Amino acid sequence: MSTASPIDVARDFCANFGPTHGDAVTTCKRLVHPEVNWQSFIFNDCPVESLDALLDDLRRAREVMGAEGFSIDVHRVQAEGNVVLMHRTDKILDAEGKLLDTLDMMSMLRIEDGKIVWSRDCFFDSRKLTDAWSS
């Protein structure tokens, strides 16, 4: 059982989800529950329902978009019990560290025993991500 607060787990996730693809994978393995339910409003019809599926999405982002690195800037964060709400900006980088995309979003996480068990992401400009994934 983790003694970290839900807000600390969310901040840890964001701080360590990069700069490399490997860092993102390691952070997910450390802080995401094996049976996570991760959903965005872009992909309502195909939620991620396990850590393995989330790691597969990271692999796909690497193959489809050339995503080799990430950075997450947290602008606002608030917690109520085990639920954390964040306004954040995610940056996706290529192998040279050049910016591929910037995603401004609201993210809600539910944390239990130091692991993210549930997540919902709402992107302010969802067309950008939809276009990137369809290439």
Side-chain angles (χ1 to χ4, degrees):
M1 181 170 201
S2 173
T3 59
S5 72
I7 205 164
D8 288 340
V9 172
R11 287 184 184 277
D12 184 358
F13 180 84
C14 293
N16 292 294
F17 195 85
T20 70
H21 188 274
D23 293 328
V25 169
T26 299
T27 298
C28 286
K29 287 180 177 180
R30 185 169 56 85
L31 295 175
V32 176
H33 191 276
E35 296 175 15
V36 70
N37 182 282
W38 200 296
Q39 192 169 355
S40 76
F41 291 99
I42 294 172
F43 303 113
N44 260 337
D45 56 340
C46 68
V48 169
E49 295 181 340
S50 70
L51 173 59
D52 288 340
L54 181 61
L55 296 174
D56 190 51
D57 271 0
L58 283 174
R59 180 194 53 76
R60 250 184 346 116
R62 187 180 219 180
E63 291 173 1
V64 173
M65 298 172 62
E68 291 292 335
F70 305 92
S71 141
I72 299 175
D73 297 319
V74 177
H75 307 293
R76 306 268 189 282
V77 62
Q78 183 69 41
E80 174 88 21
N82 68 344
V83 176
V84 178
L85 178 66
M86 293 184 286
H87 172 208
R88 65 186 223 212
T89 302
D90 292 12
K91 295 177 184 169
I92 303 171
L93 310 169
D94 69 9
E96 287 80 42
K98 294 179 186 167
L99 186 65
L100 291 173
D101 211 342
T102 302
L103 305 167
D104 193 21
M105 71 178 78
M106 294 299 295
S107 179
M108 186 180 298
L109 307 171
R110 190 171 77 227
I111 315 288
E112 293 178 5
D113 295 325
K115 300 277 187 179
I116 299 168
V117 297
W118 181 91
S119 176
R120 297 296 180 269
D121 296 329
C122 181
F123 300 90
F124 289 113
D125 184 0
S126 60
R127 292 172 308 207
K128 286 174 49 174
L129 188 60
T130 302
D131 290 346
W133 275 96
S134 62
S135 55

